[in-house]
Amino acid sequence: MIRAFINCIIILLFLLPEIPCFGGQTGFTQEDRERLVRLEATLKVFMEQVNKRFEQVDKRFEQVDKRISELREDVNKRFEEMREDMNKRFELVDKRFEEMREDMNKRFEQVDKRFEEMMTFLWMLVGIFTTLTAVVIGFAYWDRRTIIRKARDEAIETIEREGRLKEFIKALRAYASEDQKFASVLRSFGLL
């Protein structure tokens, strides 16, 4: 943009003397020539200074580009370090979770084992109590049958020894032979 502006100034300077209102004479004089030489020298110096400035600006841009590249590399390096550090931390967290899961699995296995042991023990107790109950009921049934049989035998023996009841039953049977209604009553009780 600056070069375009400078080129416009140079063109205007060449055209100004040709315009009649700016140039009093119609020809090109020695003074005009000297003025042009001075103007060219000034423009040359100006152009050199402008070129030097552009070179300085270019150098500055190169420095800024270099600095930006360095900063980008530094930032990329930091991000890479942070990513590696985060990956390590995540691995540690994953490892902790894995250890916790294994520990929980072991504890559940222990609880399951204890539960199975308790269930086995309870089944043993149920078996023992069932056996004891069956034995007690069996013993009570056997004992009762034995005692009842023995008591019946003793009662019959006592009755036969005393004999009065036997005689009473004989008397009832004799009366039943005369009375049919009474005989049917004795039959219903199994005494005839």
Side-chain angles (χ1 to χ4, degrees):
M1 184 162 173
I2 294 176
R3 286 187 183 193
F5 179 71
I6 293 172
N7 288 336
C8 287
I9 291 176
I10 292 173
I11 292 172
L12 282 176
L13 287 177
F14 282 117
L15 292 178
L16 277 180
E18 297 298 321
I19 300 175
C21 65
F22 288 110
Q25 300 171 355
T26 58
F28 196 68
T29 63
Q30 180 66 31
E31 188 179 317
D32 290 337
R33 208 178 258 179
E34 289 174 2
R35 193 178 298 151
L36 276 175
V37 169
R38 282 193 311 251
L39 185 63
E40 281 183 17
T42 305
L43 280 174
K44 190 175 183 182
V45 169
F46 180 73
M47 290 296 282
E48 288 174 0
Q49 288 178 352
V50 167
N51 285 338
K52 284 182 183 177
R53 283 286 202 195
F54 276 127
E55 288 174 5
Q56 289 175 352
V57 168
D58 287 343
K59 286 181 183 178
R60 183 69 180 145
F61 275 129
E62 288 174 4
Q63 290 174 353
V64 168
D65 285 344
K66 184 178 177 182
R67 180 71 178 142
I68 288 173
S69 296
E70 290 173 356
L71 287 173
R72 185 180 303 134
E73 288 175 7
D74 187 44
V75 167
N76 287 341
K77 184 179 177 182
R78 286 182 185 174
F79 275 129
E80 187 65 32
E81 289 173 354
M82 285 174 48
R83 187 176 347 131
E84 289 176 4
D85 186 45
M86 284 174 48
N87 285 341
K88 287 178 184 177
R89 289 184 181 181
F90 278 125
E91 288 174 2
L92 289 174
V93 168
D94 288 344
K95 185 177 178 182
R96 275 194 223 152
F97 277 131
E98 188 67 30
E99 290 172 353
M100 287 174 58
R101 187 175 55 157
E102 289 175 4
D103 187 42
M104 285 175 53
N105 285 341
K106 287 180 183 176
R107 288 183 183 175
F108 277 123
E109 288 173 3
Q110 290 174 351
V111 167
D112 287 343
K113 186 176 178 181
R114 289 195 65 180
F115 186 71
E116 286 178 21
E117 290 173 354
M118 287 175 54
M119 288 303 291
T120 304
F121 180 71
L122 287 175
W123 279 113
M124 285 182 194
L125 286 177
V126 166
I128 290 170
F129 283 121
T130 303
T131 305
L132 285 175
T133 304
V135 167
V136 166
I137 290 173
F139 179 72
Y141 180 72
W142 173 79
D143 187 42
R144 184 168 179 168
R145 276 186 59 202
T146 306
I147 288 176
I148 289 174
R149 191 178 306 142
K150 194 173 186 182
R152 189 180 63 199
D153 291 342
E154 287 177 2
I156 291 172
E157 216 177 90
T158 304
I159 290 172
E160 286 178 357
R161 255 188 284 146
E162 292 179 8
R164 303 260 310 146
L165 185 60
K166 196 174 189 182
E167 291 173 8
F168 181 69
I169 290 175
K170 281 183 187 178
L172 287 177
R173 284 180 186 164
Y175 178 71
S177 62
E178 295 175 9
D179 187 8
Q180 289 298 325
K181 191 175 180 184
F182 189 68
S184 66
V185 171
L186 287 178
R187 274 190 210 110
S188 66
F189 286 106
L191 295 173
L192 272 181

